[in-house]
């Protein structure tokens, strides 16, 4: 018996048929960290560890109806967004979430798949910047996504840090710029800028697996779950990074690799 019920977390994200990313990775992560996952599916992808073979967006009105169904019933304590399939979907989601201004919102600004498929075009990125990021508690761009949001190339850690600070000032939310896509070295350097202006570099050893798609999904879902439990931003990010690293290490033993927690008991 638990003394307290699990905290509900709503993930607004795409479905990955291979289970590596999207709502499938989010749900495993949320459950592993003591949460309960509600899910609003934004797109359906046909994919496996080798890549995306087809995908279709879910109509914005149906995305909004899923969000409303969850929010009108479950006691949601934090929200995360992942794959958003275009400007219209972003605008509808921003409008729907405006009714819940106090809930922590983690935005993973997914623009494409690790292996190339593009999900969000330039208009979608603009809609994200106008509608959703000003409402976010935290945005978690990888290096290329930060370049798109800041509208400039990032060629050094100093430029990355300046861009992360600039995004925090522009949108008024915390920024976690993830270094997994940054110039290759055997450490991963993430830059966290909180809304008090504090900058912290978080480093960890790079963990190589056969297939690391879904790392961003796991990280943002883990942060949202920790925020749902009442953690401060810095501590939520540290716990989520440690969780992702242990999941990656664990998944080196599966034949297919992968980012999220494999399954309980593995
Ligand atoms: O990792 C980005 C991502 C998010 N969500 C879904 C995806 C992917 C990448 O493939 O398929 C559903």
């Amino acid at each position: 018996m638990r003394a307290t019920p699990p905290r509900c977390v709503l993930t607004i994200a795409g479905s990955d048929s291979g289970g590596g990313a999207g709502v499938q990775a989010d749900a495993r992560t949320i459950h592993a960290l003591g949460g309960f996952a509600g899910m609003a599916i934004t797109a359906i992808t046909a994919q496996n560890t080798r890549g995306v073979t087809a995908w279709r967006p879910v109509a914005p009105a149906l995305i909004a109806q899923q969000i409303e169904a969850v929010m009108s019933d479950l006691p949601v304590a934090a929200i995360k967004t992942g794959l958003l399939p275009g400007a219209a979907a972003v605008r509808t989601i921003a409008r729907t979430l405006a009714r819940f201004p106090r809930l922590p919102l983690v935005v993973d600004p997914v623009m494409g798949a690790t292996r190339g498929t593009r999900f969000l075009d330039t208009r979608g990125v603009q809609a994200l910047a106008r509608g959703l990021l000003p409402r976010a508690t935290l945005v978690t761009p990888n290096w290329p996504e930060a370049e798109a949001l800041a509208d400039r190339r990032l060629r050094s850690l100093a430029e990355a840090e300046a861009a992360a600070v600039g995004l925090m000032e522009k949108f008024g939310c915390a920024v976690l710029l993830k270094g997994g896509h940054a110039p290759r070295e055997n450490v991963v350097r993430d830059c966290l800028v909180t809304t008090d202006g504090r900058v912290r570099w978080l480093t960890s050893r790079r963990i190589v697996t056969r297939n690391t798609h879904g790392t961003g999904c796991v990280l943002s879902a883990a942060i949202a779950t920790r925020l749902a439990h009442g953690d401060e931003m810095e501590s939520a990010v540290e716990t989520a990074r440690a969780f992702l690293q242990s999941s990656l290490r664990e998944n080196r033993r599966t034949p297919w690799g992968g980012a999220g927690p494999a399954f309980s008991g593995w």
Side-chain angles (χ1 to χ4, degrees):
M1 283 288 285
R2 284 172 182 272
T4 51
R7 298 297 165 95
C8 292
V9 178
L10 169 62
T11 169
I12 304 170
S15 166
D16 170 354
S17 55
V23 295
Q24 289 82 1
D26 290 348
R28 286 200 309 279
T29 300
I30 292 164
H31 293 159
L33 288 171
F36 179 88
M39 285 165 253
I41 295 183
T42 57
I44 296 178
T45 72
Q47 68 174 305
N48 54 27
T49 61
R50 297 191 293 270
V52 177
T53 49
W55 76 284
R56 290 282 184 282
V58 170
L62 185 54
I63 300 173
Q65 282 165 318
Q66 294 175 78
I67 297 170
E68 272 156 18
V70 173
M71 297 305 293
S72 63
D73 189 24
L74 304 187
V76 170
I79 303 172
K80 75 146 268 190
T81 65
L83 191 172
L84 306 180
V90 172
R91 281 194 295 268
T92 302
I93 291 164
R95 216 179 308 121
T96 310
L97 293 184
R99 303 218 320 265
F100 313 98
R102 268 182 280 282
L103 281 183
L105 171 64
V106 179
V107 175
D108 179 9
V110 176
M111 295 177 193
T114 306
R115 288 196 171 82
T117 306
R118 195 152 179 83
F119 296 125
L120 198 63
D121 58 12
T122 310
R123 284 184 49 236
V125 175
Q126 281 167 3
L128 203 63
R130 272 197 211 121
L132 209 51
L133 294 183
R135 156 69 185 85
T137 314
L138 172 73
V139 62
T140 62
N142 61 29
W143 201 280
E145 289 159 355
E147 290 185 324
L149 289 172
D151 201 18
R152 63 178 138 115
R153 290 293 309 277
L154 303 177
R155 282 155 305 196
S156 66
L157 293 174
E159 287 185 7
E161 179 173 319
V165 171
L167 292 175
M168 183 280 285
E169 285 167 350
K170 180 168 178 194
F171 299 117
C173 66
V175 177
L176 178 66
L177 197 162
K178 300 173 294 188
H181 292 68
R184 291 275 144 182
E185 43 179 354
N186 57 9
V187 290
V188 174
R189 301 173 197 277
D190 297 343
C191 182
L192 175 65
V193 183
T194 40
T195 48
D196 57 7
R198 238 186 111 201
V199 176
R200 257 190 90 191
W201 282 93
L202 306 162
T203 61
S204 47
R205 279 193 49 199
R206 185 180 291 276
I207 300 165
V208 180
T209 73
R210 278 195 50 196
N211 152 40
T212 53
H213 93 281
T215 46
C217 304
V218 169
L219 190 71
S220 56
I223 297 169
T225 309
R226 291 314 315 167
L227 293 177
H229 281 88
D231 289 8
E232 296 291 337
M233 182 59 71
E234 232 175 86
S235 135
V237 168
E238 277 170 1
T239 305
R241 287 181 91 259
F243 178 78
L244 174 58
Q245 285 158 36
S246 71
S247 297
L248 282 167
R249 236 176 268 121
E250 190 178 300
N251 280 332
R252 282 176 17 157
R253 290 157 55 208
T254 67
W256 61 88
F263 39 82
S264 62
W266 168 250

